[in-house]
Amino acid sequence: VPLLATQILWINLLTDTAPALAMGFDPPPDDVMNLPPRGMHDRVIDREMQIGIVYVGLVMAVVTLFALDLTLPGGLVNGTGTITDARTMAFTTLVLAQLFNCFNARSDRESAFHRLFTNPVLWVAIGISLVLQVAVVYVPFLNDAFDTTAMGLSDWLWCIGLASVVLWASELRKLVSGRRGAA
């Protein structure tokens, strides 16, 4: 099993609580008054948004599974770690990918880098989430509860690099679809 139930619950708690609430403090997009109003019968989650959700989900799944494969013996990349090492890498990669995705989720049209620092509450929420994830990786009783193990610097760099793919993939999608705003 790539991730344990406790790890999945932790991911939901960590990435869907404080960061999601903090996004409510985001100022409205610059072009909000230039857009026509949504029709009374239009879906809130339209086809374009559904495609975006599937796209981001697939990117997150691929990078998370790659982090798992990177650590385990065999597979695409021959790692030397244990299943606990691999799960910790995959778990951390998915948490970080969700946190990177917070910046993508702020707008379907504008670059994630546009108005990057206009919401300090979001930065605080992401910082708290990062500190809690680091605790799950390094605090012994949390290691036992979440079946994690301490990671080295190179492991963290791999996790950050892989997780950031979700940001770059979304930026590319916005660029290709012609919906990208000023950076």
Side-chain angles (χ1 to χ4, degrees):
V1 179
L3 296 172
L4 301 175
T6 53
Q7 293 171 339
I8 294 168
L9 290 171
W10 180 254
I11 292 166
N12 289 334
L13 178 69
L14 200 64
T15 62
D16 291 343
T17 308
L21 290 172
M23 281 193 267
F25 289 91
D26 247 20
D30 294 336
D31 65 348
V32 72
M33 295 305 289
N34 296 332
L35 299 172
R38 185 185 308 266
M40 190 176 350
H41 299 291
D42 290 352
R43 294 175 176 251
V44 174
I45 301 176
D46 60 9
R47 179 167 165 65
E48 191 172 322
M49 186 181 285
Q50 290 172 352
I51 291 168
I53 291 168
V54 169
Y55 176 73
V56 167
L58 286 172
V59 170
M60 285 187 192
V62 167
V63 298
T64 300
L65 290 173
F66 186 76
L68 188 76
D69 183 67
L70 182 69
T71 312
L72 289 173
L76 295 175
V77 180
N78 194 18
T80 59
T82 66
I83 188 66
T84 302
D85 297 330
R87 279 189 185 137
T88 302
M89 288 274 292
F91 175 44
T92 301
T93 299
L94 186 53
V95 166
L96 295 175
Q98 291 274 28
L99 295 176
F100 273 116
N101 195 50
C102 289
F103 298 109
N104 294 328
R106 295 172 66 216
S107 174
D108 287 336
R109 296 176 304 280
E110 294 178 334
S111 167
F113 300 102
H114 181 65
R115 301 181 320 145
L116 188 61
F117 299 104
T118 58
N119 185 351
V121 177
L122 179 60
W123 283 96
V124 169
I126 288 172
I128 290 169
S129 296
L130 285 172
V131 167
L132 292 171
Q133 182 62 24
V134 168
V136 164
V137 171
Y138 290 108
V139 175
F141 80 89
L142 293 174
N143 288 153
D144 294 338
F146 290 95
D147 193 32
T148 57
T149 187
M151 296 191 316
L153 178 60
S154 65
D155 295 333
W156 278 102
L157 293 175
W158 271 107
C159 290
I160 292 166
L162 288 170
S164 74
V165 170
V166 74
L167 178 68
W168 306 118
S170 290
E171 285 295 298
L172 180 63
R173 182 173 179 269
K174 289 175 187 180
L175 187 64
V176 168
S177 69
R179 298 181 312 155
R180 185 172 172 162

